Amino acid sequence: MLAPNPRVVFAKRPGTGLPVPGEHLVYDATRSIDLDAVPLNGGFLTKTLMLSPEPFLRERMRDLSVDSYSTHAVVGAPMVGFVLAVVLRSEKEGVNPGDHMYGLSHWEAYTVQPYMEGRVDFKAGNYPDWTGDTDSLIKLNAVPDPQGKYPWSSYFSVLGGPGLTAFCGLEAYGNAKKGETIYISSGASGVGSVLIQLAKEKGLRVIASAGSDAKVEYMRSLGADVAFNYKTTPVAAALKEHGPLDIYWDNVGGETVEAAIQYSRLHARFIMCGSISEYNLAPEACYGIKNLSLVFKKQLRIYGLLVGEHMTSLGPRFFTEVPALMAQGRLTVRETFTEGLENAADAFVKMLQAGGAEELGKPVVIVAKE
Amino acid sequence: MLAPNPRVVFAKRPGTGLPVPGEHLVYDATRSIDLDAVPLNGGFLTKTLMLSPEPFLRERMRDLSVDSYSTHAVVGAPMVGFVLAVVLRSEKEGVNPGDHMYGLSHWEAYTVQPYMEGRVDFKAGNYPDWTGDTDSLIKLNAVPDPQGKYPWSSYFSVLGGPGLTAFCGLEAYGNAKKGETIYISSGASGVGSVLIQLAKEKGLRVIASAGSDAKVEYMRSLGADVAFNYKTTPVAAALKEHGPLDIYWDNVGGETVEAAIQYSRLHARFIMCGSISEYNLAPEACYGIKNLSLVFKKQLRIYGLLVGEHMTSLGPRFFTEVPALMAQGRLTVRETFTEGLENAADAFVKMLQAGGAEELGKPVVIVAKE
């Protein structure tokens, strides 16, 4: 059976601005695939059900001259990100038709796995603790059927990268003690929304910020004790009133970090997870942080977090504890669904416009029904 | 016997500039003391032999509105800093005439101990690991006679605060592995000069910077593999050529930190020990660091160091290992001596002028012969 096999191609590097759908990310509907006859070469054929627009995809689009923790996205190859897919045919032992798989794959309707074109790679040097199968970071893994206890799309939020990131960062570096105060920037984001709930589970007092009043309400509904809109309340003013902080979780970078340093307590822990305010800026246009001397005066600890290096040590606990919390209804997630692969680039760009999107919750693109 | 008892008084807060001798620090030669009859009230009388101008003294002069790790210096009281003193008379059990003592005391010729006026205090909250006698941080402690193996003034450098700081910081946070590269700013300073030698003992490759060619030669003589004058070679250029860094030791703050972040390796450790480039600046005049997003991209670890919190865990090793290295001639120190309490304020201000002083080595003020 010949089926259309549309994809989203990374057509051009966006430089320092936001990527533009149709220019940097191009929807290509010209391709097709023979689902019954396409050679599998010992692999398997997947149908993409959902995909997950996430900030780290922007990082991969950077100029070739800029080094970072991930390889560069390949111009001309399809976009690669986290997807949920179902297996249609398989020649690989242990992989069976009907299996649901989560992991990195192409933004396209059907893919012969393992995919190679435009392949993501995280540099080996980033994962000194990784003693298992390095490949499992960059390929699809079978995931259990939630059997109605939570939606399949949870694998993009609580049970996927964002949830893992929140869990591992807080466990590895938070040193959280009941009654302490954590401030979470981008509290309505994929990572932030899980983190608010995990922090409350630990008995922390939670301050959270986002860029719209609707998101403020959402963060309150997740349990934030103090939630504010950074567009109408300066971060420094909010932290002066509601701080000082024992833990700061950074998703945004820049001026917000400076305010958090200013209003942190002695021995506060900083977990640096992202800098969404700066992904689309040239280095010289980034905000200059002037109070770093407080790091020694307050004996702060600042930790750069990439979730991969904690997979071995904390992954097993995550996959035990978090599904249990979900089944008990103690972890919830709100999602914003976009229908159609042709709208994936738009959903991605909207997610990158920090605070710009009025939609709440984790963006998920529905590519196909089962 | 009535003796003159001159002192240096902290007369006025210097605001954001350098303190000016005669204005902010006033030499007061009007006082005298009866060495035989002055009441000891169960304490003891010391004669100050030497005192140590150190950067943290500037920190205590800050405006009352600015919080920090130490209490504020008291206007009208004598300056307080690390001194070496000899006991003249004692009513305290265990303290005997002729004992040599090192610790915090007044910048004056003779003092009845324990002194109270203008007392230094480090905030208890800063020392969660401190299980011993908190008082011992703020009073004099007897120190052994080096018996000619090294000079008494070593208690201000290798065997005192600077040596302890270098040892504890490197042990607690360096995670140093043979063959790795460390960059030490202010490498000719009290802390820096000890650190270069301790780093070489660990098999590290050492890059060090200071503000004069004479200091560059001095750092080479201490073992630095690469030494440069930051006034003629931009830090970023030097680190680009000789990096990347596995460990950065910050004594200066500002632009140097930005360069170190830029040229650090994945998983590099930053030990933040001081910001001498900024002690005399208003907060808004400090350099803005724009590349903090590299902290998560490179998974850096940044640690604010105050030596006090490591005393319990690392103090015993320090007092065993470092004197042994000294006795073997594997740790050396160069000192710059200033004669006379009346010149102490000048020596202090000269030390604060980062890179300005051409003198090499740890400044020591000789107050009196024994």
Side-chain angles (χ1 to χ4, degrees), chain B residues 239-291:
Chain B
L239 298 187
K240 186 175 183 179
E241 182 179 350
H242 300 291
L245 315 175
D246 299 287
I247 307 173
Y248 170 55
W249 185 289
D250 185 43
N251 286 320
V252 301
E255 199 167 357
T256 308
V257 178
E258 188 174 73
I261 290 173
Q262 199 69 38
Y263 296 105
S264 61
R265 237 191 266 275
L266 291 172
H267 294 111
R269 287 78 69 194
F270 281 55
I271 304 167
M272 312 303 274
C273 176
S275 297
I276 201 165
S277 73
E278 299 181 327
Y279 291 159
N280 298 296
L281 296 179
E284 63 276 12
C286 290
Y287 183 83
I289 295 174
K290 294 187 173 184
N291 62 354

Side-chain angles (χ1 to χ4, degrees), chain A residues 252-284:
Chain A
V252 300
E255 198 168 357
T256 308
V257 178
E258 187 173 75
I261 290 174
Q262 199 70 37
Y263 296 105
S264 61
R265 237 192 267 274
L266 291 173
H267 295 108
R269 288 77 69 194
F270 280 54
I271 304 167
M272 311 302 274
C273 176
S275 296
I276 202 165
S277 74
E278 298 181 328
Y279 290 159
N280 299 295
L281 296 178
E284 62 276 13

Side-chain angles (χ1 to χ4, degrees), chain A residues 59 126 173 266-267 272 275 279 284 286 289-290 293 295-297 299-302 304 306 309, chain B residues 59 69 126 173 266-267 272 275 279 284 286 289-290 293 295-297 299-302 304 306 309:
Chain A
E59 176 68 14
N126 276 10
Y173 303 125
L266 291 173
H267 295 108
M272 311 302 274
S275 296
Y279 290 159
E284 62 276 13
C286 290
I289 295 174
K290 294 186 172 182
S293 68
V295 172
F296 91 85
K297 292 179 186 173
Q299 296 137 281
L300 305 181
R301 307 279 177 265
I302 302 181
L306 281 181
E309 63 182 333
Chain B
E59 176 68 13
Y69 60 93
N126 275 12
Y173 302 125
L266 291 172
H267 294 111
M272 312 303 274
S275 297
Y279 291 159
E284 63 276 12
C286 290
I289 295 174
K290 294 187 173 184
S293 68
V295 172
F296 91 84
K297 293 180 186 173
Q299 297 136 280
L300 305 180
R301 307 278 176 265
I302 303 180
L306 281 181
E309 62 182 334

